[in-house]
Amino acid sequence: MSTKIKTDVLIIGAGPSGLLLSQLLYQEGISSIIVERTSKTRVLSRIRAGVLERGTIEALNEADCDARLQKERIDHDGVILGFDGDGFEIPIKALTGHKVTVYGQTEITKDLIDACERRDQEIHWDCPDGQIERVDGDSALFRFSDAAGVKTIIESKFIAGCDGFHGVSRAAIAQSKPFERVYPFGWLGVLVDQPPVAHNVIYANHTDGFALASMRSETRARYYVQTAPDETLDDWPIERFWETYVRRMGSLADGLITGDPIEMSIAPLRSFVSEPMSYARLFLAGDAAHIVPPTGAKGLNLAIADTRRLAHALASFWQGNETPLNSYSKEALDRVWKVERFSWYLTRLMHQFPEDSAFEKKMQRAEFDYIRSSEAAQTMIAENYVGLNF
Ligand code: APR
Ligand code: PHB
């Protein structure tokens, strides 16, 4: 026996996309239910990137979920690119009129969950077996059971697939076409309670591999190094991490304060897009439809841009205008591909690719030297880094 409940929009996944969507729909008087595979504790423990575009800040402000962000944000006017230990700053604010903001994705997720709880948003945590049953016809149907085995079926006007790369919703789009590039390396990230080595984010390429300096606050730093694709944390005792980090950063790591990490994790790098992003009553947003490599920190920003677009399209539908919903996939993908291009470009520029010939290595160095000497090239990077127009 299953209990049957109804809502306007069933949202699969309580990541940033699903949580923000429920909040934006609530503001428009549209009801939603969120079903999440895992626990709230698990969702809140995921450490992800932390550089926000102005469009993301605007979306969180519109959603009225930015009170803590406005207090704790760290704004950056520039970003540093390094090559073989030597770097230069791209003055993003001077070139575009905009800044980027450091504020961790984990904190955004917490702020969004708090907002959901304040308004008694229905969220079903710990529902491991959710399945889409129907997305066409008069209504959509989604079936799941909770941790206690209680079965529920939800009938809704629409389903929002906000269930990330490993979710179930993408597979419900029968004619979907995947586009993918898996990179021959991973990133090892270290979170440490020490003041960050620099005020700006630093992306550094070195013959030995990529390294990145970032932060979460004035007292918490986030550092990364490129790893071989098959390496695990067992291959990376912290001493090896710091020694590698200092070698790759060169003078860019002057003043670095090392320490015991409070978190260490390795993630593979991939570019992925699934087209289209909608079918019948199902609409995908965020990582369910696309993945970017973390170079440039676009993953969360892209997810928030999709979500904002989808919320607007659904609100228009309820106001009697179906056009934005019908063009959602096409318009979202236009922007997705541009952001995929930038993330791929920066990944290509800043990493060591094992398959590169001596010629390609020279090309990479020439590209870096060209950017350093050209305001036009720096402006291209800056306008993508601060976020393309919505
Ligand atoms: N049923 C319910 N929930 C599911 C299911 C399912 N079958 N499958 C996956 N989920 C949940 C996951 O447990 C996760 O909490 O969907 C959520 C998806 O969240 P994210 O992966 O964070 O994706 P999204 O909300 O689109 O946010 C994108 O997160 O992955 C990063 O770099 C990415 O910053 C970007 C952002
Ligand atoms: C981070 O702060 O974790 C971070 C910053 C920039 C990136 C990726 C990750 O490109």
Side-chain angles (χ1 to χ4, degrees), residues 10 60 115 141 158 216 255 302 306 322 331 350 360 379 390:
L10 179 266
L60 294 166
L141 294 177
F158 298 108
R216 291 290 174 274
L302 196 49
D306 287 354
E322 292 189 27
E331 286 178 6
M350 299 312 300
E360 279 155 331
T379 304
F390 177 65

Side-chain angles (χ1 to χ4, degrees), residues 234-292:
D234 290 341
D235 299 307
W236 283 91
I238 189 67
E239 297 74 25
R240 178 182 175 202
F241 176 86
W242 291 125
E243 178 233 313
T244 305
Y245 191 75
V246 168
R247 183 171 58 249
R248 293 182 185 179
M249 295 284 285
S251 63
L252 298 169
D254 284 352
L256 174 76
I257 306 178
T258 63
D260 286 334
I262 50 175
E263 196 263 355
M264 272 180 99
S265 50
I266 293 192
L269 269 73
R270 159 195 325 266
S271 296
F272 172 84
V273 181
S274 180
E275 292 188 341
M277 284 173 60
S278 66
Y279 170 68
R281 297 180 177 278
L282 171 65
F283 295 84
L284 306 185
D287 278 20
H290 41 72
I291 295 287
V292 287

